[in-house]
Amino acid sequence: MGDLAIDFCGEWYEPSDEDVFNIGREGDLEVDDNPYLHRQFLQVARYDGIWWLSNVGSMLSATVADASGGMQAWLSPGARIPLVFSHTNIIFTAGPTTYEFAVHLKTPSFRQEAREGGVSGDTTIGPVVFTDSQKALIVALAEPMLRREGTGFSAIPSSAAAAKTLGWALTRFNRKLDNVCDKLDRVGVAGLRGGGGKLATNRRARLVEHAVTSHLVTPDDLYLLEKMRGVDEG
């Protein structure tokens, strides 16, 4: 394997130091024949000895995080970010589908130390504390990603489908979704609110991207779906 390798659905790609590696509907890594996905969306290239990930699309953003979930960035159109960790996860959503691939570096600029005790089951991320029902809501939306092994793609459930999984009325689900998004928005998580009082169109996808990459929810939390099914917490 070269210095940098990309894993998508179990297939590995090794961009050369001299070339620009294109990711999108077309390119060196053809993600999917999805009309909502840009023909060229992301680029990986090496400049001045540093690998960079650039968003060359015009509409979509990507969530970029280290494997520990300790660092997370939202890569908007026109932005770029250095790839400095041994393992970086990139997640993005195009239409109804969410995609994930991983970038592995042999010679990372930064090395992460494992967190003592891990983060599984925690309901506090920084200053944000969630009730069990709020966390169950996130798990219901992230369930396809949490049950998937490795990189690849999955469909985020609609609010109606996630509410049905939890045995909740849709109005209750939407009220709790508002609360969850407001809590995260207040601590600076981007993409969870729309302007002028309108709901963010893609906030369910953004919520899942943030929750999975930050380890706010993990496969160990899937038990909450059964625990909170139909429970009225008020």
Side-chain angles (χ1 to χ4, degrees):
M1 189 173 82
D3 184 47
L4 181 141
I6 296 170
D7 169 27
F8 178 65
C9 293
E11 292 189 15
W12 290 82
Y13 304 82
E14 295 182 26
S16 74
D17 289 8
E18 297 79 25
D19 297 330
V20 173
F21 186 87
N22 289 292
I23 300 166
R25 200 163 79 237
E26 299 172 359
D28 302 291
L29 196 173
E30 295 183 357
V31 175
D32 191 11
D33 187 19
N34 179 343
Y36 295 98
L37 181 60
H38 298 307
R39 285 187 172 84
Q40 291 192 356
F41 172 40
L42 299 172
Q43 288 183 342
V44 174
R46 190 177 177 98
Y47 304 108
D48 299 324
I50 299 174
W51 288 99
W52 292 84
L53 178 71
S54 303
N55 185 341
V56 295
S58 57
M59 298 289 291
L60 304 178
S61 295
T63 299
V64 182
D66 71 321
S68 74
M71 186 289 297
Q72 187 186 108
W74 198 33
L75 193 67
S76 54
R80 69 173 186 167
I81 189 171
L83 296 167
V84 294
F85 298 106
S86 59
H87 182 156
T88 303
N89 294 317
I90 293 96
I91 300 181
F92 57 91
T93 301
T97 310
T98 295
Y99 303 90
E100 179 180 8
F101 66 90
V103 175
H104 298 264
L105 264 182
K106 267 190 178 177
T107 55
S109 305
F110 292 90
R111 298 185 185 276
Q112 308 99 307
E113 297 295 330
R115 298 187 206 175
E116 258 184 70
V119 292
S120 175
D122 289 346
T123 53
T124 304
I125 299 297
V128 185
V129 181
F130 294 100
T131 65
D132 279 354
S133 64
Q134 288 172 337
K135 196 168 180 184
L137 175 146
I138 301 170
V139 173
L141 290 172
E143 183 182 9
M145 288 194 72
L146 295 176
R147 294 194 186 279
R148 192 192 67 218
E149 292 184 8
T151 61
F153 54 90
S154 52
I156 293 178
S158 65
S159 292
K164 186 177 179 182
T165 295
L166 292 166
W168 296 353
L170 183 57
T171 50
R172 180 188 180 201
F173 181 92
N174 285 333
R175 185 179 73 250
K176 287 190 177 290
L177 179 59
D178 288 342
N179 293 337
V180 167
C181 289
D182 284 346
K183 280 187 175 184
L184 290 170
D185 177 75
R186 284 198 295 269
V187 296
V189 179
L192 294 176
R193 294 186 67 182
K198 295 181 180 176
L199 299 182
T201 358
N202 217 24
R203 67 176 182 162
R204 283 182 296 109
R206 173 59 183 145
L207 174 60
V208 169
E209 291 175 15
H210 170 78
V212 171
T213 55
S214 67
H215 299 186
L216 170 55
V217 293
T218 72
D220 290 342
D221 295 314
L222 287 164
Y223 79 94
L224 285 169
L225 298 181
E226 189 62 37
K227 177 182 176 182
M228 298 306 300
R229 186 165 287 131
V231 173
D232 186 4
E233 199 184 73

